[in-house]
Amino acid sequence: MTAQGSRRVLAEFAYEVPPVERGYTNQTLYVNLSDNTITAKPVTEEMKEKFIGGRGFGLWLLWHAVKDDTKWNDPENEIIISSGPCGGITQYPGSGKSLVVTISPLTDIPIDSNVGGHFGPLLKFSGWDALEIQGKAEKDVIVVIDGQNGRVTIEEADGVPVDSHLVGHWLIEEMAEKEEDRYFMSVVAAGSGAEHTRIGCLNFSFYDRRRKAPRFKQAGRGGIGTVFRDKRIKAIVVKSPPVRGDSNRPADPERIARAGLRLHKEIHDYDDQQNRMRKRGTPYLVQIMDDYDLLPVHNFKFGSHPDTPKINGDVWEGRFSQGLPDGCWYGCTMSCSHAVDHYTVRTGPYKGQKVIVDGPEYETIAGVGSNCGIFDPDAILEINFYCDTYGIDTISFGTLTAFVMECYEAGILDKEKTGGLELRFGNADAAIELLHQMARGEGFGKIAGQGVRRMKEYFVKEFGADPQFVQDIGMEAKGLEYSEYVCKESLAQQGGYGLTNKGPQHDEAWLIFMDMVSNLLPTFEDKAEALHYFPMWRTWFGLCGFCKLPWNDIVPPDNAMTDEPAKIPAHVQNYVEIFSGVTGKEVTADDLITMSERVYNFQRVFNIRLGKGLREHDAVPYRSMGPVTVEEYESRAERYDKQLRELLGLDPEKMTTEEKLAALRKYREEQYEKLIDAVYARRGWTKDGVPTLETLKRLGIDYPDVVEVVKRHL
Amino acid sequence: MIRVNNRDEVEWEEGMTVSDLLERMRYTFPHIIVKVDGEVVPREEYPTRTIPDGADVRVIHLIAGG
């Protein structure tokens, strides 16, 4: 873990660290790497009122930074990191998140990605509600925010390593003057894989006092790490004054503490009976998704596999080090950030080293595991470690590798085209080598690292692939790879993925159980209401600095008796109390939704401004709606035949499988179009997906430049 | 015959308990609410509460997902 590097200051900015007041410092930090400008910008009351913080601040700042034709690698594109007014409280679990916003190299529209680790809160306690980085450096740099001494520097970083686990260690050892400094430092880094692909992620560190090492959480989605390396940033470091229980200076600390106590008690009393987040974390979902035929297997062809018990939560509970306080922010008693210690790397440049592997989380297990037909925990750990340190998103890597494997098995690819990699389902060694190629910018890895959308075009043009087939099986929408749930049997979740702002990521809406299992959304209007409420509700976490997990991965025992148990009303009320308690502004549960609606509609208009964001851009691949191949249909023939009989009045006994596939497809594609109509109407959008002027006025975001974008499409 | 979630017809058996039904449906998710003919069944009664023939059973799954 040793590295040699040197730092040379290129630009310096001195500032007075302001006190935090009611969750805000009231200023943001602007850094331009093209001309080495560093300056402070005020946070206006309008920003706080309309955009709240986090993702809202990111989108607002980005809107004013870019032009209508800005691409991801133009200098004016920015990376903005912000937590939010509640980020940094230590009394309520899951209150340390950061939101990162940029124009994505995968989608060419704004991406927002949420991440744990300590950076966002420590940035605030160092005096800044957001960090806004624009421009491109000529040589590799690091940006240092020293909140202990009121100093921001851009520094040349000769010889400093690029891969996250190395640069994270190196910077903390280099910059910590005493042991306690390590606790209040956080590093943001990408890696060599982010340089050569469009699927780069960012790693956000937090210092693990028990393990005496930095650990990392990932802002995974949308290629933000790719933008980071394109700007020639190796790392951003924050060194904060010590964090105290009142560092966020809330208006009413006791109100927050009361809400926190309620949730701490629930977690203590019920987590072992419910999701076992403290022992397993998100891997508890692997077996459950398999049980409900929702676990992606072989590029989302199937929803379950007999080998799932080899990679389910039981396995990971045994592999994770137990009894450690694995919270990724102070005070989080849910503590689901588990890790495998002393893993011996078996391939690549770090072969033989013993490392900490953070995770794997559910999405990683399902993505690089079952979806690629890999049911070997060690292979999953190897891929997890390298994805993280190379700065590659495990979800995009898993989904695109599964796509490659299906193309290989369908004869579109062969060993000659892949440079010798036999990329069949289950071939972990080939998947790992593909990952190393991405980091080196070599061979087939360089092609695959462009993502599913660009691979589809490439395979058609260069290899003569059937355009319809690769479109049907390539699991991307808007250019972003799908996250790891099979949604064929849930129309609402097809919309939950397709009718998103940033692309198919489940953090907007996860409605499969409500829809497919519980049958609580039988009409289009019911589905549309859910596709209004839940995306708005989940958006709100990202405005304020909250993690979603403590909302619904633990529930109070009397939740079943409430009118709307799916919303977890007691926890919604906790958030009302906390937001009011932090900011001093009295709000209701409905107000939280309105806050999100403003930002969500603003983001939709932002997409339209950049040439996307219309109905045609909400199209999804057919693999997300239904069976594409005969093999898929026949694997669930009883289910599909029943639907043909009951929904379409057809007699499957008299039809070939191809005829049945065609009939089912026609029906399901029509259903999706009807769903779009219902959702757009509920959201206050036109039939083409454009927020109406009335919607913008109601939300108070009818700014002249926003209205101008919309008017072009009315 | 019993009806589950206002959609699925499930063959009834004498002495069938809530736990039996959950096992047959492979409903393994822990965050569920079970109602039999409109009445919420406490979790601790799942192994003993029998379901009458013709019952309207709702097994409401709360939201999951990462």
Side-chain angles (χ1 to χ4, degrees):
Chain A
M1 294 287 177
T2 57
Q4 295 292 320
S6 63
R7 298 160 50 203
R8 186 171 73 85
V9 174
L10 299 173
E12 180 174 353
F13 173 75
Y15 68 101
E16 290 283 326
V17 181
V20 181
E21 287 298 335
R22 300 185 171 195
Y24 292 98
T25 65
N26 297 306
Q27 62 176 8
T28 62
L29 176 61
Y30 173 82
V31 175
N32 190 310
L33 298 174
S34 294
D35 61 11
N36 288 335
T37 307
I38 309 172
T39 190
K41 290 163 72 169
V43 169
T44 63
E45 286 303 312
E46 176 86 358
M47 277 173 73
K48 291 197 281 188
E49 182 68 26
K50 300 282 176 64
F51 294 89
I52 312 298
R55 173 174 162 187
F57 276 15
L59 290 163
W60 174 253
L61 292 168
L62 188 64
W63 174 278
H64 292 287
V66 301
K67 297 178 287 196
D68 293 0
D69 60 354
T70 296
K71 300 297 179 205
W72 69 275
N73 54 356
D74 286 331
E76 68 266 23
N77 188 20
E78 296 191 332
I79 295 172
I80 299 135
I81 303 171
S82 174
S83 179
C86 304
I89 64 172
T90 59
Q91 292 78 15
Y92 197 81
S95 302
K97 283 271 188 169
S98 303
L99 264 287
V100 194
V101 173
T102 193
I103 294 178
S104 161
L106 288 167
T107 64
D108 301 317
I109 52 176
I111 185 82
D112 57 274
S113 192
N114 78 75
V115 56
H118 288 184
F119 188 88
L122 296 186
L123 177 72
K124 188 200 287 189
F125 301 148
S126 295
W128 308 106
D129 285 333
L131 167 64
E132 183 185 8
I133 297 188
Q134 196 173 39
K136 285 191 193 189
E138 289 178 9
K139 293 181 174 177
D140 282 343
V141 296
I142 57 175
V143 176
V144 180
I145 301 154
D146 181 351
Q148 292 183 0
N149 298 298
R151 184 170 180 259
V152 180
T153 50
I154 303 170
E155 303 181 10
E156 220 172 71
D158 285 342
V160 175
V162 66
D163 288 343
S164 277
H165 79 295
L166 294 181
V167 71
H169 275 269
W170 187 81
L171 280 168
I172 285 171
E173 292 310 309
E174 165 84 3
M175 295 178 59
E177 291 163 18
K178 53 186 184 299
E179 178 65 17
E180 195 188 55
D181 286 347
R182 293 175 171 81
Y183 308 159
F184 306 115
M185 287 177 67
S186 180
V187 175
V188 178
S192 49
E195 289 176 19
H196 304 298
T197 67
R198 290 175 186 258
I199 58 170
C201 75
L202 292 181
N203 289 281
F204 278 52
S205 82
F206 63 104
Y207 193 77
D208 187 322
R209 299 186 192 195
R210 297 282 183 92
R211 292 175 170 94
K212 295 193 178 301
R215 295 179 50 200
F216 298 93
K217 304 296 286 183
Q218 290 71 39
R221 305 310 330 264
I224 302 173
T226 303
V227 181
F228 192 85
R229 288 301 296 138
D230 184 65
K231 292 184 177 300
R232 304 291 301 266
I233 309 169
K234 273 194 174 163
I236 307 168
V237 191
V238 65
K239 190 174 173 185
S240 162
V243 176
R244 308 293 180 217
D246 63 350
S247 289
N248 204 43
R249 298 284 299 274
D252 186 348
E254 288 177 10
R255 197 170 175 185
I256 298 164
R258 284 194 294 275
L261 281 174
R262 287 194 290 273
L263 194 66
H264 292 316
K265 187 168 185 332
E266 280 172 30
I267 292 170
H268 174 271
D269 291 350
Y270 305 112
D271 181 57
D272 277 349
Q273 303 157 38
Q274 295 183 13
N275 292 350
R276 299 171 68 80
M277 296 296 280
R278 291 170 62 82
K279 292 191 170 68
R280 294 185 176 184
T282 57
Y284 86 91
L285 280 167
V286 173
Q287 190 62 55
I288 289 168
M289 292 301 117
D290 186 274
D291 291 346
Y292 288 80
D293 210 25
L294 300 170
L295 183 74
V297 171
H298 294 184
N299 194 31
F300 298 89
K301 273 196 245 182
F302 314 116
S304 61
H305 194 282
D307 286 338
T308 297
K310 294 178 181 172
I311 57 167
N312 71 10
D314 291 340
V315 172
W316 298 109
E317 187 170 334
R319 298 295 293 266
F320 292 148
S321 303
Q322 295 292 331
L324 293 169
D326 279 330
C328 71
W329 178 244
Y330 298 105
C332 185
T333 44
M334 185 159 265
S335 298
C336 65
S337 293
H338 300 301
V340 173
D341 288 292
H342 314 299
Y343 174 74
T344 303
V345 182
R346 60 190 203 189
T347 67
Y350 307 117
K351 183 177 178 178
Q353 291 187 9
K354 282 193 184 300
V355 297
I356 302 169
V357 184
D358 276 286
E361 302 282 353
Y362 164 79
E363 297 289 335
T364 301
I365 301 164
V368 309
S370 60
N371 211 9
C372 295
I374 295 170
F375 294 89
D376 170 2
D378 286 309
I380 291 169
L381 284 172
E382 185 85 3
I383 296 171
N384 191 158
F385 167 73
Y386 270 115
C387 275
D388 289 353
T389 200
Y390 285 159
I392 284 180
D393 172 25
T394 56
I395 297 177
S396 278
F397 178 80
T399 296
L400 75 80
T401 303
F403 169 71
V404 165
M405 288 174 163
E406 186 168 358
C407 287
Y408 195 99
E409 297 205 344
I412 295 167
L413 299 174
D414 55 31
K415 274 175 97 165
E416 191 182 332
K417 295 186 177 93
T418 62
L421 296 179
E422 195 169 6
L423 282 156
R424 294 185 180 282
F425 288 118
N427 190 342
D429 292 342
I432 292 167
E433 180 51 28
L434 185 72
L435 182 53
H436 292 314
Q437 287 186 358
M438 288 181 183
R440 297 194 299 266
E442 291 176 6
F444 190 72
K446 198 169 180 183
I447 297 166
Q450 298 305 300
V452 170
R453 175 164 287 195
R454 286 165 181 82
M455 271 196 285
K456 287 192 291 195
E457 293 164 7
Y458 188 85
F459 293 174
V460 170
K461 190 171 166 214
E462 300 296 329
F463 304 148
D466 175 359
Q468 186 67 57
F469 180 68
V470 291
Q471 173 56 32
D472 285 349
I473 68 163
M475 287 292 281
E476 60 84 17
K478 299 182 173 70
L480 184 70
E481 285 73 25
Y482 270 68
S483 70
E484 308 300 338
Y485 300 96
V486 172
C487 57
K488 291 183 183 118
E489 302 310 312
S490 168
L491 179 60
Q493 186 57 29
Q494 290 163 29
Y497 274 134
L499 307 179
T500 48
N501 271 326
K502 67 183 165 203
Q505 168 71 358
H506 57 278
D507 66 352
E508 272 204 14
W510 199 96
L511 302 173
I512 301 180
F513 282 163
M514 280 185 83
D515 187 36
M516 180 188 96
V517 183
S518 304
N519 195 25
L520 291 174
L521 309 172
T523 68
F524 286 108
E525 287 69 29
D526 294 329
K527 289 175 173 56
E529 182 59 34
L531 283 166
H532 166 70
Y533 177 83
F534 287 102
M536 296 313 133
W537 173 240
R538 288 184 175 224
T539 292
W540 187 79
F541 294 123
L543 306 183
C544 295
F546 287 122
C547 173
K548 164 263 167 194
L549 299 177
W551 162 54
N552 72 345
D553 275 298
I554 183 80
V555 298
D558 59 354
N559 186 61
M561 310 305 288
T562 60
D563 290 342
E564 295 184 289
K567 294 182 179 176
I568 328 282
H571 291 180
V572 172
Q573 188 57 35
N574 283 348
Y575 290 110
V576 168
E577 301 289 334
I578 295 168
F579 188 88
S580 300
V582 168
T583 63
K585 296 173 186 169
E586 285 301 320
V587 295
T588 65
D590 289 342
D591 292 335
L592 308 188
I593 299 301
T594 306
M595 291 177 203
S596 293
E597 269 193 282
R598 283 196 194 99
V599 173
Y600 195 89
N601 279 273
F602 183 79
Q603 189 168 353
R604 182 76 177 186
V605 178
F606 204 158
N607 288 351
I608 296 168
R609 180 186 170 200
L610 297 184
K612 307 283 176 69
L614 303 175
R615 187 177 185 120
E616 64 181 292
H617 305 110
D618 287 339
V620 293
Y622 187 65
R623 176 61 57 77
S624 73
M625 288 188 204
V628 173
T629 63
V630 169
E631 176 196 23
E632 258 173 291
Y633 189 101
E634 291 182 348
S635 75
R636 307 289 189 274
E638 188 183 349
R639 173 194 299 163
Y640 297 133
D641 284 354
K642 183 168 183 267
Q643 291 176 12
L644 290 179
R645 272 192 298 271
E646 294 181 357
L647 299 172
L648 297 173
L650 298 172
D651 181 359
E653 302 300 320
K654 296 177 180 167
M655 300 167 76
T656 65
T657 303
E658 286 77 6
E659 288 168 339
K660 291 193 282 189
L661 275 167
L664 194 65
R665 179 172 188 146
K666 182 170 181 295
Y667 171 74
R668 290 192 174 196
E669 287 179 337
E670 287 169 358
Q671 295 288 105
Y672 186 69
E673 294 302 317
K674 289 176 185 170
L675 178 75
I676 292 178
D677 288 338
V679 172
Y680 285 179
R682 177 61 186 88
R683 290 181 179 175
W685 298 355
T686 69
K687 289 258 185 195
D688 200 23
V690 180
T692 64
L693 291 176
E694 290 72 23
T695 299
L696 300 181
K697 279 182 189 153
R698 176 175 66 80
L699 297 172
I701 54 170
D702 51 334
Y703 303 110
D705 49 353
V706 173
V707 169
E708 189 189 318
V709 170
V710 164
K711 274 188 169 170
R712 286 179 224 147
H713 297 276
L714 295 178
Chain B
M1 196 71 77
I2 59 175
R3 191 168 172 83
V4 178
N5 288 342
N6 201 26
R7 183 185 53 206
D8 302 322
E9 302 287 345
V10 177
E11 199 167 322
W12 178 80
E13 288 173 8
E14 182 74 41
M16 181 189 229
T17 64
V18 170
S19 290
D20 294 336
L21 176 69
L22 297 178
E23 192 177 334
R24 188 185 305 180
M25 303 291 286
R26 282 194 93 189
Y27 284 166
T28 57
F29 186 56
H31 290 327
I32 56 170
I33 298 156
V34 178
K35 292 182 183 178
V36 176
D37 290 328
E39 184 192 347
V40 175
V41 180
R43 179 172 294 273
E44 60 273 19
E45 293 181 21
Y46 289 177
T48 54
R49 176 73 70 93
T50 54
I51 301 172
D53 192 10
D56 172 16
V57 182
R58 305 293 168 103
V59 185
I60 307 302
H61 288 56
L62 301 184
I63 292 170

